[in-house]
Amino acid sequence: LHQMRLSAPFGDFLLLWNVRDLPVGPGGRIVAIASAVTLAVLVAACLLLYRAGLRQIALVRQQQDFVAAVSHELKTPLTSVRMYAEILREGWASEEKKREYYDFIHAESERLSRLVANVLQLARMERHEFALVRKLERVDVLFDLLRSKVQRQIDEAGFSVRYDIDPACAARQIDVDADAFMQMLINLVDNALKFARSAERREIAIGVAPQGAGALRFHVRDYGAGVAASQRRRIFELFVRGDGEHAPGTGIGLALVQRLAQAMGGEADLVEREPGAEFGVVLPVVSRAACEVV
């Protein structure tokens, strides 16, 4: 702190004043607390940035997988359609084969239409440009329309279909957009056919049953291998495919089902069956007299 030399006759001596520990000033504690808080904020910010970076990298990978999957889903049927169309154009097909080729082109065109519809629907919802046109619809009328839309698809996949419609629910009404409702159920049927293609029992079940006192659950069940435990929580997330990155499909069908269901005040769910899996959509009923719970 200070030093001085003594006067004669002690001029050879030097006095030194030293302090080992300085007392903390009145603002020292505040400075220490502020420093600790600043350090904690910096550490937390670094961790958040790190996690955000990991999520962004994962999203980019999922989007790349999505682009690759969509490209594959488009390229494969388009190549086949082009080949059969050239055969028909050149007149190389017999009259017996023509009908078969026409049916194949029609089926692949329908599949491509469903894929494009899903992608466009998702894009509109992501941009918040999608508006539902909801009105009261009877359950039995919706199922009649659904049969006409999915029967050909099921037959061409080599599956049979069973309709399990609870009689107490057939006349109930739900407030839905009919096109969005059809898209949800068609996506569930397409998912069942896709992931149960190697099942011994080539059958799917489409039905509706009461869900509590004021809701209906529309479901599609297959008899395939089911959904892996590691995938069940994330199965309705965007770009997630049931059996991982090498699974068929684009990873948007079930995510779109969930988003459309939520837009109509409902929810999509998954119930494990033995064997197989059952995907469902729960929607509220409008009728005052709710379905009886069975």
Side-chain angles (χ1 to χ4, degrees):
L1 293 180
H2 184 67
Q3 65 180 11
M4 65 173 293
R5 189 171 293 279
L6 296 178
S7 58
F10 305 104
D12 294 333
F13 292 94
L14 184 68
L15 291 181
L16 299 174
W17 280 268
N18 297 314
V19 176
R20 293 180 180 274
D21 299 311
L22 289 174
V24 178
R29 181 172 296 176
I30 296 176
V31 171
I33 293 174
S35 300
V37 171
T38 302
L39 180 61
V41 170
L42 288 174
V43 172
C46 290
L47 289 175
L48 289 175
L49 286 174
Y50 176 73
R51 294 183 62 183
L54 289 180
R55 286 197 297 268
Q56 189 64 28
I57 291 172
L59 180 60
V60 169
R61 288 177 178 171
Q62 287 179 335
Q63 289 174 339
Q64 291 173 344
D65 291 341
F66 166 71
V67 171
V70 169
S71 301
H72 175 74
E73 291 285 315
L74 289 172
K75 183 178 180 180
T76 303
L78 282 175
T79 301
S80 300
V81 168
R82 181 179 178 181
M83 179 186 70
Y84 285 122
E86 288 179 353
I87 292 174
L88 292 170
R89 184 188 63 184
E90 298 297 331
W92 295 339
S94 64
E95 290 299 324
E96 182 181 348
K97 285 291 185 180
K98 282 183 180 180
R99 181 66 183 179
E100 179 183 340
Y101 294 164
Y102 286 139
D103 289 341
F104 177 85
I105 291 174
H106 181 270
E108 291 302 296
S109 300
E110 288 288 325
R111 185 158 73 92
L112 290 173
S113 296
R114 291 193 298 270
L115 173 60
V116 172
N118 282 342
V119 173
L120 293 177
Q121 188 81 287
L122 180 65
R124 286 194 293 266
M125 296 188 78
E126 289 292 314
R127 296 194 303 266
H128 304 287
E129 297 176 355
F130 174 69
L132 294 171
V133 181
R134 298 170 64 174
K135 62 179 182 179
L136 298 183
E137 300 282 358
R138 280 174 56 108
V139 171
D140 52 359
V141 175
L142 289 173
F143 263 87
D144 289 340
L145 181 60
L146 179 65
R147 284 190 185 96
S148 66
K149 290 182 175 293
V150 301
Q151 191 61 52
R152 185 184 184 92
Q153 177 187 358
I154 295 170
D155 292 340
E156 290 173 349
F159 279 71
S160 61
V161 59
R162 185 181 74 251
Y163 291 94
D164 299 326
I165 303 175
D166 191 309
C169 303
R172 300 302 178 190
Q173 291 182 319
I174 53 176
D175 185 20
V176 295
D177 182 308
D179 291 336
F181 178 86
M182 288 299 139
Q183 189 168 13
M184 288 192 300
L185 271 293
I186 290 172
N187 280 0
L188 293 183
V189 170
D190 189 55
N191 182 77
L193 297 176
K194 193 177 298 177
F195 287 93
R197 62 191 185 282
S198 58
E200 293 183 6
R201 183 175 177 180
R202 299 180 66 80
E203 178 185 7
I204 64 171
I206 306 173
V208 58
Q211 182 82 3
L216 300 178
R217 182 174 181 271
F218 300 86
H219 60 266
V220 177
R221 182 195 171 172
D222 63 70
Y223 294 87
V227 179
S230 60
Q231 295 285 335
R232 291 172 195 167
R233 288 188 176 183
R234 303 180 60 241
I235 196 66
F236 290 105
E237 293 181 14
L238 191 60
F239 306 137
V240 173
R241 286 179 281 172
D243 295 329
E245 62 180 14
H246 300 297
T250 59
I252 65 173
L254 293 178
L256 188 58
V257 170
Q258 178 71 286
R259 296 186 183 197
L260 289 174
Q262 291 174 345
M264 291 186 284
E267 192 75 22
D269 62 15
L270 165 65
V271 176
E272 282 298 307
R273 299 297 185 188
E274 187 58 42
E278 182 179 284
F279 287 89
V281 175
V282 180
L283 296 173
V285 292
V286 176
S287 306
R288 292 184 179 179
C291 296
E292 299 177 1
V293 180
V294 294

